[in-house]
Amino acid sequence: MKRIGVLVSGGGTNLQALLDAQTHGILKSGAIALVVSDKPGAYALTRAENAGVETRVIEKKDYKDRDAFSAALADCMEEKQIDLVVMAGFMTIVTEAFFGRFAGRIINVHPALIPSFCGDGYYGLRVHRAVLDYGVKLTGATVHFVDGVTDGGAIILQKCVAVEDGDTPETLQKRVMEQAEWEILPQAAELFCAGRLTLNGRWVKID
Ligand code: GAR
């Protein structure tokens, strides 16, 4: 059984999807062992506590720079012997000091079809606002490995969601979460924990 550490910053609906997937046996090859937030008041922490999962708060302001913050995150995950780190709405960019120590073992969910509407500055509702401003008819969500490029790591799973007439960033965010993120994030975590993902360049093979 793999040990999963989840990084959160906000409401934690993706964390909830992972917890529910564990309850329902969809996530069965890994167990959520730790939830770390960079925001002390994040509701995601309450969700973790309600599920009996250990929590930590690690705030960027308590470290001299992004590297020191990233190293503290890595120390915490190592201390808890975490095998897979899941970024589930984690809003702080980490550096090599974190992802270098967990290379190939960090996944992130992004609320769009990468390589569209991603990279620096594209997070949360901003992504959906950009999708609506552009006028695309299809959007969705992507789960990918995390490397040194923001939203640039190899893609594990993607799912399309329709943009509808009259959508607002809020209605579109809700549909993307419900129809894509909450489904593909737990699926990807299970695939990783079951040892079913092989990385071949940028191509992720699913056994
Ligand atoms: C989710 O839509 C997630 O994909 C997005 O923030 C939201 C967090 O919601 N993440 C990013 O934009 C990261 N680039 P949640 O806290 O309810 O899971």
Side-chain angles (χ1 to χ4, degrees):
M1 182 71 82
K2 301 283 187 200
R3 291 171 62 80
I4 302 171
V6 186
L7 291 174
V8 295
S9 299
T13 63
N14 278 288
L15 167 66
Q16 191 66 55
L18 289 162
L19 292 165
D20 292 348
Q22 198 173 294
T23 304
H24 296 120
I26 294 161
L27 176 53
K28 55 181 186 292
S29 307
I32 300 164
L34 179 68
V35 170
V36 179
S37 173
D38 61 348
K39 302 271 183 316
Y43 186 66
L45 290 167
T46 306
R47 293 181 190 272
E49 282 154 17
N50 288 344
V53 175
E54 186 178 338
T55 62
R56 295 269 179 92
V57 175
I58 301 181
E59 288 186 86
K60 195 164 147 287
K61 70 171 179 54
D62 293 332
Y63 297 87
K64 71 173 180 351
D65 56 22
R66 212 175 277 277
D67 279 335
F69 168 74
S70 300
L73 286 180
D75 288 346
C76 177
M77 293 290 170
E78 272 179 8
E79 186 192 312
K80 290 283 155 194
Q81 297 173 300
I82 296 301
D83 300 296
L84 169 68
V85 177
V86 179
M87 291 184 167
F90 188 64
M91 298 304 186
T92 303
I93 306 277
V94 290
T95 71
E96 172 75 27
F98 180 70
F99 58 74
R101 281 162 65 185
F102 281 85
R105 295 194 290 142
I106 313 170
I107 65 174
N108 177 53
V109 62
H110 182 75
L113 294 174
I114 291 174
S116 291
F117 307 107
C118 65
D120 291 333
Y122 286 97
Y123 56 86
L125 281 172
R126 287 172 184 233
V127 177
H128 305 292
R129 206 167 285 128
V131 163
L132 292 172
D133 286 348
Y134 202 95
V136 294
K137 302 290 190 189
L138 280 178
T139 184
T142 304
V143 180
H144 62 93
F145 282 109
V146 173
D147 63 12
V149 180
T150 307
D151 300 325
I155 290 169
I156 302 167
L157 292 175
Q158 292 188 297
K159 191 173 176 206
C160 290
V161 173
V163 180
E164 291 177 7
D165 197 20
D167 261 338
T168 62
E170 289 77 10
T171 60
L172 187 56
Q173 179 184 54
K174 184 167 179 283
R175 190 175 318 113
V176 168
M177 283 176 158
E178 286 173 354
Q179 294 185 8
E181 294 185 55
W182 300 343
E183 186 179 318
I184 65 173
L185 184 62
Q187 273 176 9
E190 172 58 24
L191 287 169
F192 179 95
C193 292
R196 293 178 57 195
L197 300 179
T198 314
L199 195 54
N200 183 3
R202 281 202 58 82
W203 183 254
V204 177
K205 182 172 182 294
I206 301 173
D207 295 319

